Amino acid sequence: MLKYFGMKILSVTKGSVAEELGVRAGEELISFDGFPVFDFLDYDYYNSCENFTMRVRGKDEIVDYEIEKYEDEDLGLELSREIPVRSCCNNCVFCFVDQLPEEELRSTLRVKDDDYRHSFIFGNYVTLTNVSESEIDRIIRLGLSPLYVSVHTSNEELRRKILRTKRETPSILSRLEKLSRGGIKIHAQIVYCPGINDDVDSTIRDIEPYTQSLAVVPVGLTRNCNPELKKVDSASADAVLSVVEKWQKELLVRRGTRFVFAADELYLAAGKELPSFEDYEDFAQIENGIGLIAAFKHEFDAAMESYENGDVGELSIATGESAAPLITECALKVQKKFGGKINVYKIRNDFFGSTVTVAGLVVGRDIFNQLSGKPLGSRLVLPKVMLREFGDVFLDGTTVSELSEKLGVKVQIIQPDGESFVKALIRA
Ligand code: SF4
């Protein structure tokens, strides 16, 4: 819960509304219109309003200001833009954080972020189990939209079993309904665990009225996973895709959107053809990895058409097992059109376990162990998703320069999109 409120004013812009009123750096911003200020989201909201009251605690007294300004006029206060992470109060059966290897991993990877403010700012999925009713009201009042919500199932009892939450919270359906009525757009997800939340059909039916889009993604299993969990196999992937496709057909007619989208891995697991680029509509769930292959192919084809000449030389690309067929297919097309020699290496994930096949979880030590002594050409191309959010470091702590030095090859990090891929390969 958000217990503490009030924020220190770091600076006041010269000539701004706040400065003219006499507000000074070092004072404390307490509330707007009587609502306590918890973080910069309160400030951002009121900074785009015209008329409101603002309470500030100065050195000796509390002052209430009546603010009148233009909507786009900056009030002029600088506050901290940091929001400390609020951890989750769950212990989900499939929690990826709990499945991380014992090895030394940076502590940020072990943070169980379940913060609705981070959902609004960064698009992280949250369960809403650690959010009070007054915070739901705050979300609506400040218009913190869209939010990304992990639903998993609309069956409350089953949801409690999956999340193993320590707190009693209102039902997820009542929360989604309230947020939706309050004008908050919600993108939802189901982490599909075969044998646990197979009734995807009822969940889609129940949450569809309150949400903008829904992703169905397979549970991710590492070598440390909970033994209760089963891997999504071809039969379970096929079954869940049939449900998704049934709803897509119905909702395209009724809502004008397919609404529910399945992860690329589910099509790969079922051995089914992936939907076309157009079928993903506005790629509402791309941050969840949904439609990545279609988007990559689309960007790749457009980039290939736009370049006539290229200088490929001999180089290598390393990727995860799931993306390897696509990357191989694209590398061959580049080679055919521009010449050169491109070695594509599929990296088995020994660090997290061989069931982990995505490129984003390939680590430096697996790349080194599997590519050492292999022909690499003049450079090794790797997608940026293999690195942590900040810094040139893989998830296992290996740095890009360490890998480059150990393999004796230049390592080139590229954005994981089709255009960057072509540009990097042909040195455009
Ligand atoms: S909400 Fe569940 S999956 Fe997410 S961090 Fe918490 S325990 Fe892990």
Side-chain angles (χ1 to χ4, degrees):
M1 300 304 96
L2 295 174
K3 291 200 180 80
Y4 177 75
F5 64 90
M7 290 189 81
K8 187 175 172 187
I9 297 168
L10 301 177
S11 69
V12 182
T13 309
K14 263 196 170 328
S16 65
V17 176
E19 195 206 40
E20 279 170 20
L21 287 170
V23 182
R24 298 287 171 258
E27 294 179 337
E28 190 185 16
L29 177 61
I30 297 176
S31 61
F32 287 116
D33 279 346
F35 292 108
V37 169
F38 292 107
D39 48 52
F40 72 84
L41 297 171
D42 296 288
Y43 177 74
D44 284 1
Y45 175 79
Y46 280 95
N47 198 26
S48 62
C49 294
E50 292 183 334
N51 300 300
F52 51 92
T53 61
M54 175 172 82
R55 175 169 285 190
V56 173
R57 191 195 309 273
K59 210 170 161 204
D60 307 310
E61 57 178 355
I62 289 177
V63 183
D64 287 314
Y65 297 97
E66 292 280 340
I67 310 285
E68 255 193 68
K69 66 175 196 59
Y70 296 110
E71 211 178 275
D72 57 359
E73 190 177 8
D74 185 20
L75 182 54
L77 301 183
E78 192 205 341
L79 308 172
S80 166
R81 305 291 294 179
E82 278 177 31
I83 294 184
V85 175
R86 183 189 301 186
S87 310
C88 80
C89 60
N90 310 317
N91 184 21
C92 300
V93 285
F94 51 72
C95 181
F96 197 79
V97 178
D98 293 338
Q99 294 186 48
L100 289 173
E102 295 296 307
E103 284 89 338
E104 179 68 13
L105 281 177
R106 211 170 64 164
S107 56
T108 50
L109 276 185
R110 299 199 184 273
V111 173
K112 291 187 162 188
D113 183 350
D114 197 21
D115 195 317
Y116 71 87
R117 299 163 302 175
H118 290 185
S119 182
F120 169 65
I121 299 166
F122 306 118
N124 298 356
Y125 271 92
V126 291
T127 61
L128 297 179
T129 49
N130 57 2
V131 179
S132 66
E133 237 12 64
S134 64
E135 286 172 307
I136 294 284
D137 293 338
R138 177 183 190 237
I139 291 171
I140 293 170
R141 183 170 54 79
L142 299 182
L144 304 183
S145 173
L147 287 185
Y148 296 79
V149 179
S150 287
V151 175
H152 309 316
T153 173
S154 55
N155 176 327
E156 285 306 319
E157 204 186 321
L158 179 60
R159 189 168 191 258
R160 267 195 298 277
K161 279 188 189 156
I162 291 174
L163 300 184
R164 299 192 292 199
T165 187
K166 296 171 200 130
R167 292 185 46 192
E168 279 297 314
T169 41
S171 80
I172 189 65
L173 285 180
S174 67
R175 290 219 137 160
L176 294 178
E177 181 179 8
K178 182 170 176 179
L179 287 166
S180 160
R181 283 192 199 288
I184 304 300
K185 291 188 169 34
I186 294 160
H187 297 283
Q189 76 165 352
I190 295 172
V191 173
Y192 170 51
C193 308
I196 297 182
N197 57 347
D198 297 288
D199 192 3
V200 171
D201 189 53
S202 301
T203 303
I204 298 175
R205 181 200 62 213
D206 294 342
I207 71 169
E208 180 270 321
Y210 314 122
T211 48
Q212 300 302 116
S213 75
L214 171 65
V216 182
V217 301
V219 62
L221 306 179
T222 76
R223 61 185 156 89
N224 289 338
C225 73
N226 180 334
E228 284 171 39
L229 296 173
K230 284 194 221 144
K231 188 174 185 280
V232 174
D233 60 11
S234 144
S236 51
D238 195 53
V240 83
L241 284 175
S242 304
V243 175
V244 166
E245 284 161 8
K246 181 197 87 170
W247 279 100
Q248 286 184 326
K249 272 193 202 124
E250 181 185 326
L251 292 168
L252 192 56
V253 175
R254 177 154 62 81
R255 267 181 80 156
T257 169
R258 288 167 183 79
F259 170 76
V260 54
F261 301 92
D264 297 1
E265 297 99 297
L266 286 169
Y267 291 93
L268 298 176
K272 279 189 148 179
E273 198 180 325
L274 282 142
S276 69
F277 180 80
E278 289 71 27
D279 290 344
Y280 288 100
E281 302 173 9
D282 59 356
F283 284 80
Q285 294 275 358
I286 190 85
E287 295 298 327
N288 212 348
I290 292 196
L292 274 181
I293 294 180
F296 187 96
K297 278 186 174 168
H298 184 80
E299 294 150 356
F300 174 84
D301 290 343
M304 284 292 278
E305 273 189 28
S306 67
Y307 293 108
E308 286 305 319
N309 304 301
D311 166 24
V312 178
E314 183 177 352
L315 62 100
S316 304
I317 305 170
T319 186
E321 295 192 60
S322 352
L326 170 70
I327 298 300
T328 306
E329 180 191 321
C330 294
L332 285 172
K333 285 184 184 168
V334 171
Q335 217 172 253
K336 194 169 168 203
K337 180 165 180 180
F338 301 104
K341 180 162 171 29
I342 306 169
N343 310 297
V344 178
Y345 292 108
K346 175 170 72 176
I347 305 296
R348 187 186 58 251
N349 202 319
D350 293 330
F351 187 76
F352 288 108
S354 57
T355 46
V356 175
T357 56
V358 293
L361 292 173
V362 168
V363 298
R365 71 184 74 168
D366 283 341
I367 299 176
F368 170 71
N369 289 339
Q370 292 169 48
L371 295 193
S372 185
K374 293 262 169 59
L376 297 175
S378 62
R379 57 207 161 102
L380 171 64
V381 176
L382 301 175
K384 195 165 176 7
V385 288
M386 288 182 184
L387 304 182
R388 292 170 181 173
E389 199 176 344
F390 302 106
D392 284 347
V393 187
F394 294 89
L395 294 179
D396 64 347
T398 309
T399 64
V400 172
S401 51
E402 275 165 8
L403 181 68
S404 169
E405 200 175 310
K406 283 167 87 179
L407 286 173
V409 70
K410 182 181 169 211
V411 174
Q412 183 182 2
I413 303 294
I414 64 166
Q415 290 299 328
D417 61 82
E419 187 183 353
S420 303
F421 180 84
V422 175
K423 277 171 108 170
L425 265 50
I426 67 171
R427 297 191 229 237

